């Protein structure tokens, strides 16, 4: 168990700009309030996230939106510059994600779930799992410019909810635990609102602000399961040789 908040470093890494805000920004805000260092990373810059703008233009917009949301939290932000719908599980990708883990040097990593509605999320989950394992292996080299040194340990690894808590067959996935984010929910929504390009796209497609409303509904549903206004759910990766003590829950509930 880590005794000092200053020594806890958190890496939250998901596929696209806005995924982190939807799935775990309330938890990140709780961790930030306890003095943790937060790094938010996206695999892509969201280059397929517009019906009007081309890939370069929308990627520039979405990087700026992600940076604005991270700044609101007081977190670092990095983009690994994969392309939307082109995240694949191979060694080059594994090296790139391992380098991100080594640069962030986290005690806790929060990432996409192994089963979700699209491949980018699932490939992110698998690559991050591998990177957490490989980051501490001195002989695993990333071959990137100015590489960070290997980490000292395998970090605690957690998966966020899949979208609406279901697998791609519509079956509900039971979380291991749910954290109360009632006090940080307003900040979560403000961070999500930074992604205005996605709000505009969904307003055009759906005719309402489903982007924020849907997030509030699901956060409320998870909160109801534990008797609070809002919640975020997680599953911990406890397989060999990943740490099995629940550092995230213990730290926030102490």
């Amino acid at each position: 168990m880590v005794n000092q908040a200053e020594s806890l470093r958190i890496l939250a890494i998901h596929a696209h700009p806005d995924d982190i805000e939807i799935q775990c920004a309330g938890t990140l805000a709780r961790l930030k309030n306890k003095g943790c260092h937060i790094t938010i990373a996206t695999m892509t810059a969201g280059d397929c996230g517009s019906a009007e703008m081309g890939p370069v233009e929308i990627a520039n917009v979405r990087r700026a939106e992600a940076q604005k949301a991270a700044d609101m939290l007081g977190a670092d932000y990095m983009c690994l510059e994969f392309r939307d719908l082109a995240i694949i599980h191979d060694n080059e990708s594994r090296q790139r994600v391992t380098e991100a883990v080594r640069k962030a040097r986290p005690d806790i990593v929060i990432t996409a779930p192994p089963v979700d509605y699209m491949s980018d999320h699932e490939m992110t989950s698998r690559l991050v799992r591998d990177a957490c394992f490989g980051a501490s292996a001195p002989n695993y080299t990333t071959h990137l410019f100015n590489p960070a040194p290997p980490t000292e340990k395998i970090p605690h690894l957690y998966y966020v909810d899949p979208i609406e808590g279901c697998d791609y067959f519509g079956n509900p996935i039971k979380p291991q635990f749910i954290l109360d984010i009632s006090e940080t929910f307003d900040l979560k929504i403000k961070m999500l609102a930074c992604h205005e390009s996605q709000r505009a796209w969904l307003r055009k497609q759906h005719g309402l602000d489903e982007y924020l409303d849907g997030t509030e509904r699901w956060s409320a549903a998870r909160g109801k399961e534990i008797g609070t206004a809002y919640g975020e759910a997680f599953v911990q990766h406890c397989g060999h040789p990943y740490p099995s003590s629940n550092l995230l829950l213990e730290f926030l509930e102490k």
Side-chain angles (χ1 to χ4, degrees), residues 28-251:
L28 295 182
R30 286 191 60 186
L31 290 164
K32 184 66 177 180
N33 287 344
K34 290 176 72 74
C36 297
H37 181 276
I38 312 290
T39 299
I40 293 174
T42 61
M43 298 286 278
T44 84
D47 55 281
C48 288
S50 176
E52 294 83 19
M53 290 180 273
V56 173
E57 184 180 2
I58 186 59
N60 288 336
V61 169
R62 297 194 70 188
R63 278 191 212 92
E65 290 172 342
Q67 184 67 64
K68 182 179 179 181
D71 289 345
M72 190 171 289
L73 181 64
D76 294 336
Y77 171 68
M78 65 170 125
C79 179
L80 277 62
E81 302 298 340
F82 288 86
R83 302 294 297 271
D84 281 353
L85 300 176
I87 302 173
I88 60 173
H89 187 262
D90 62 8
N91 193 50
E92 182 179 349
S93 300
R94 188 183 297 109
Q95 289 171 328
R96 201 187 308 187
V97 180
T98 299
E99 186 64 32
V101 172
R102 287 176 174 172
K103 288 185 183 302
R105 314 197 75 74
D107 299 290
I108 292 173
V109 173
I110 301 172
T111 193
V115 175
D116 208 347
Y117 77 102
M118 69 172 302
S119 177
D120 278 356
H121 291 201
E122 294 181 342
M123 292 301 100
T124 295
S125 182
R126 189 171 178 185
L127 287 166
V128 171
R129 182 195 71 188
D130 287 356
C132 288
F133 181 91
S136 61
N139 289 343
Y140 184 66
T141 57
T142 62
H143 300 291
L144 298 179
F145 176 74
N146 192 29
T151 58
E152 291 76 26
K153 60 184 183 299
I154 296 173
H156 290 70
L157 176 61
Y158 296 87
Y159 303 120
V160 300
D161 256 340
I163 292 296
E164 296 184 344
C166 293
D167 65 18
Y168 32 63
F169 301 111
N171 300 314
I173 293 177
K174 184 175 177 58
Q176 181 183 350
F177 63 97
I178 299 170
L179 293 174
D180 180 9
I181 60 160
S182 302
E183 293 185 0
T184 56
F185 181 76
D186 286 348
L187 177 57
K188 171 188 174 80
I189 288 295
K190 288 177 182 177
M191 290 173 64
L192 183 56
C194 291
H195 298 272
E196 178 62 28
S197 68
Q198 297 308 286
R199 293 178 66 195
W201 182 67
L202 287 173
R203 280 199 297 265
K204 178 180 179 180
Q205 296 294 320
H206 296 275
L208 69 154
D209 200 350
E210 180 68 12
Y211 199 57
L212 301 182
D213 297 343
T215 298
E216 180 168 8
R217 283 196 303 272
W218 183 246
S219 299
R222 282 305 196 202
K224 185 178 180 180
E225 294 182 47
I226 58 171
T228 65
Y230 298 107
E232 289 173 342
F234 299 89
V235 172
Q236 184 177 4
H237 188 106
C238 293
H240 176 81
Y242 296 79
S244 58
S245 61
N246 196 337
L247 178 59
L248 177 59
L249 181 62
E250 291 172 359
F251 180 76

